Amino acid sequence: MRTKGASSRIALPAMRPRHDGGCLNSRQVDLGYKWGGGGLVSTVIDLCSFANALLEHRLLSSDWRTKMWSRARLRDGREISYGLGWGVTRYHGERLISHNGAQQGSRTSLWILPERGVVIAVLTNYESHDVNKLMNSFADAWLSAKSL
């Protein structure tokens, strides 16, 4: 996927906290080892496009998506809140499919509310942000605005 106009934007360097409350640039590391296992370098627009393609069955059949977004069972029969690469939980009573990511210099979260057809993505270039807290704030604001 390709984001139009991305080259005309300026990206801020990834940051990490300093002991006195300030910020430092994150350490530079080679993240190439993650690519083979699905580690992505992306944008909010591309993540949302990816999630929408999953919702609209443009990447996987309905059967495969159902398998991927179903809770797994352990050998002892207990169900866990994780499917094939995705968190499978509930948020304010609604089914939530999610995946978070973290590496030096960034934190990300991708949420899909399949019954609403809603996708929310949060990317931050500050490695100490609580991405779940940010996502909850965005989701609460969006969901409350849509219920008015």
Side-chain angles (χ1 to χ4, degrees), residues 12 17 30 35-37 46-47 58 63 65 72 86 97-98 123 144:
L12 297 174
D30 179 3
W35 297 342
D46 284 348
L47 282 177
R58 289 185 280 134
D63 289 343
R65 191 185 79 179
W86 294 89
I97 307 301
S98 63
L123 282 72
S144 65

Side-chain angles (χ1 to χ4, degrees), residues 50-51 53-55 57 59-72 80-89 95-99 110 112:
F50 169 70
L54 289 172
L55 278 173
H57 308 290
L59 292 179
L60 297 172
S61 70
S62 180
D63 289 343
W64 276 109
R65 191 185 79 179
T66 297
K67 289 175 186 177
M68 188 171 66
W69 289 353
S70 295
R71 290 176 170 221
I80 60 173
S81 60
Y82 201 73
L84 297 176
W86 294 89
V88 182
T89 58
R95 186 166 179 241
L96 171 64
I97 307 301
S98 63
H99 188 86
L110 178 61
I112 302 170

Side-chain angles (χ1 to χ4, degrees), residues 94-108:
E94 295 190 43
R95 186 166 179 241
L96 171 64
I97 307 301
S98 63
H99 188 86
N100 287 357
Q103 62 190 31
Q104 291 84 352
S106 68
R107 299 290 180 265
T108 64

Side-chain angles (χ1 to χ4, degrees), residues 2-61:
R2 192 170 150 191
T3 303
K4 297 176 184 172
S7 62
S8 65
R9 298 188 182 123
I10 297 172
L12 297 174
M15 304 298 286
R16 62 187 167 97
R18 201 168 57 198
H19 69 281
D20 64 1
C23 294
L24 294 170
N25 287 345
S26 291
R27 292 181 181 91
Q28 295 296 314
V29 295
D30 179 3
L31 300 172
Y33 72 93
K34 293 184 174 192
W35 297 342
L40 301 174
V41 176
S42 191
T43 66
V44 168
I45 293 168
D46 284 348
L47 282 177
C48 289
S49 295
F50 169 70
N52 278 315
L54 289 172
L55 278 173
E56 297 164 3
H57 308 290
R58 289 185 280 134
L59 292 179
L60 297 172
S61 70

